Each structure stands twice: as structure tokens, then as C-alpha cells.
Amino acid sequence: MRKPFIAGNWKLNNTREATRALLEALKPLVADVKNVDIAVAPSFTLLETAAEVLKGSNIHLSSQNIAYATQGAYTGEVSPEQVLDVGCSHVIIGHSERRQYFGESNETVAKRVRTALDAGLVPIMCIGESLADRESGKTFDVVLGQLIEGLVHVKDEEAETMVIAYEPVWAIGTGKTATPAQAQEVHAKIRAKLAERFGQSKADAIRIQYGGSVKAANAKELLGQKDIDGALVGGDSLKADAFAAIIKAAV
Ligand code: PGA
């Protein structure tokens, strides 16, 4: 019922030349994939190049962030309209690295989600607990708190546009993946909370990605869980073969 969605978060990597090479390699590997949504999220300066290469393909383009303002005196920011203008349809919001290193808060996440929706971009809103949160038994409080606060400006009729990415911080880039059971447990709680907020039928339509050291070797089992509807992939989205293998695991 929910179409799987695999997105690659390139983070701070690649040049225009490397972008061309990676996407030219990826395109034919996934050209015949029909029942999975696919997106890549390169740095802002690479978006235009990526859009050129991806034109006419089945791979969507995402930015890794956007401003919560639409224009004006916000030095260093990039607006929703500007990323739309270069061909983005999606935007990652509130990644844990933004929260950890750049002062992103639930409040600014909520504002970015709002401007993304206003512009017609699909927000991929990231939430996840740290190792200390998990070890002190606060996983659900933290994750569900981030969820509800991030969605505070979302209207009921917009709910199904949202994509939620559950990424336990301790699993990102560490090679430590949540077990399928650990991930499913949190995903089920997220969906139950979405049902409280938007009603069950809308909650059943919202895609919840898992992120944190997703690899070809563990993707199938993770994606086989009832409430895991896709993946947000970091490291392995930088390799065409590995990323294609994860996408194929979702088919
Ligand atoms: P990773 O990153 O796959 O390298 O763990 C995931 C992410 O941060 O989105």
C-alpha cells in the first residue's frame, strides 16, 4: 500500500564531475525499477548538475536542507524556491547532523517543514535518539517529541505528503545498524503517534524511512518490517552499485 522510498543523502561529498560520474553510473542500474521511489540529495552547488543528468530518469532530486524563510536578509541560506528552480522535488529537514553541529531545533525544523510544504516540496523530516537517550530509556520520548514538534505546522490535509526518516544517531555512519526488531519497534510507535495526530488512514499512508548504516546486506531484512517503508542512506549512496542494490532490495 505504501510505495517504498529510498533516498541517498550524499552529505558533504562530491564535486560536479564526481556527481556526473556517480549519477551516470546509477541511472542504468535502476532504470527498470518501477515500484520504488528513488531520490538523491547532493550539496546545493551540485544540484543543477545532478538535475541535468537526471532529466527524464526515475530518480528524484532532493536538497539536504532549506531556509525557513522564502527570501531576504538570511545570509548563507538557500530558499525552497531556489531549490525548486534547479529541479528539486524533495528536501531533507532536521538531519541529526544539522541538529548536532548547526543548532537545528524542533522549532526550526517545524518552520522549515512549513516553508517546504508551502513551496510544494516533499519534506523528509529526520528524527532519532542519541546513544545516551537510548541507554537512559528515553528513546520514545525523544523520537516522538521530535516528531510532534516538527509536525506542529502541518495541516491534516498535508499529512500524506510528509516522509519521516527515523535515524538513530548511534547508527549513523558507525556501521552499527538498529536490528530490524529495534527499528520496527520505533517505527510502530511513530505510526501510532501519527495516527493520534492525523487519524489512522493518513498515518497508514505516511512513509517512514529507516536510516543508519543501511547497506545492501541488511536492507532486505530492514525493509521487510511492517512499518519500515524505505531507507535514508548515507555512506552507501555514494557508490552506484551499493545504492542500486539497496534500491533493488526494496522492490
Ligand atoms: P549512513 O548515514 O547510511 O552513512 O549511516 C545515514 C544518514 O545519515 O542519513
Side-chain angles (χ1 to χ4, degrees):
M1 155 189 58
R2 293 181 293 269
K3 191 174 183 189
F5 179 22
I6 308 292
N9 174 12
W10 287 10
K11 307 190 182 183
L12 183 49
N13 291 290
N14 287 333
T15 57
R16 286 178 299 169
E17 195 183 333
T19 296
R20 270 185 200 288
L22 175 50
L23 294 177
E24 292 291 7
L26 179 65
K27 269 198 310 185
L29 297 177
V30 299
D32 59 345
V33 172
K34 291 204 166 52
N35 55 350
V36 179
D37 283 333
I38 306 168
V40 292
S43 303
F44 290 120
T45 58
L46 307 175
L47 290 172
E48 192 166 5
T49 302
E52 262 171 55
V53 181
L54 295 179
K55 202 162 186 210
S57 79
N58 57 343
I59 304 170
H60 298 285
L61 191 60
S62 174
S63 63
Q64 296 175 15
N65 192 14
I66 43 154
Y68 53 68
T70 52
Q71 62 168 52
Y74 297 93
T75 302
E77 292 293 290
V78 178
S79 76
E81 212 176 303
Q82 288 171 324
V83 302
L84 271 173
D85 187 42
V86 292
C88 287
S89 50
H90 293 66
V91 54
I92 297 171
I93 296 177
H95 190 278
S96 64
E97 288 149 18
R98 302 292 323 164
R99 295 177 188 262
Q100 216 176 330
Y101 309 135
F102 303 102
E104 189 79 65
S105 66
N106 291 334
E107 192 188 342
T108 54
V109 167
K111 287 163 81 171
R112 291 184 212 282
V113 167
R114 184 64 257 155
T115 46
L117 290 168
D118 284 338
L121 291 163
V122 174
I124 302 171
M125 189 181 93
C126 302
I127 56 179
E129 83 286 3
S130 67
L131 187 60
D133 294 332
R134 180 162 280 265
E135 286 178 342
S136 58
K138 293 201 208 114
T139 297
F140 299 139
D141 285 352
V142 169
V143 170
L144 301 179
Q146 290 173 342
L147 178 72
I148 286 306
E149 288 184 46
L151 294 173
V152 80
H153 304 308
V154 178
K155 300 175 192 136
D156 283 5
E157 62 270 25
E158 295 166 327
E160 289 157 72
T161 306
M162 292 299 304
V163 175
I164 307 298
Y166 167 59
E167 300 201 299
V169 178
W170 49 271
I172 294 177
T174 57
K176 281 188 212 151
T177 320
T179 64
Q182 273 176 327
Q184 167 57 29
E185 184 187 28
V186 181
H187 280 234
K189 292 268 187 205
I190 292 170
R191 198 172 309 283
K193 194 50 120 183
L194 290 169
E196 267 175 40
R197 171 73 163 75
F198 297 116
Q200 192 65 51
S201 71
K202 287 191 165 61
D204 284 339
I206 297 174
R207 288 173 302 174
I208 309 172
Q209 297 175 318
Y210 169 79
S213 301
V214 176
K215 316 268 167 215
N218 59 28
K220 209 165 188 95
E221 218 192 329
L222 285 161
L223 294 166
Q225 302 300 306
K226 181 169 167 278
D227 290 293
I228 301 184
D229 310 312
L232 184 54
V233 183
D236 269 19
S237 72
L238 297 170
K239 297 172 264 180
D241 285 352
F243 191 49
I246 293 169
I247 291 163
K248 294 204 165 147
V251 173

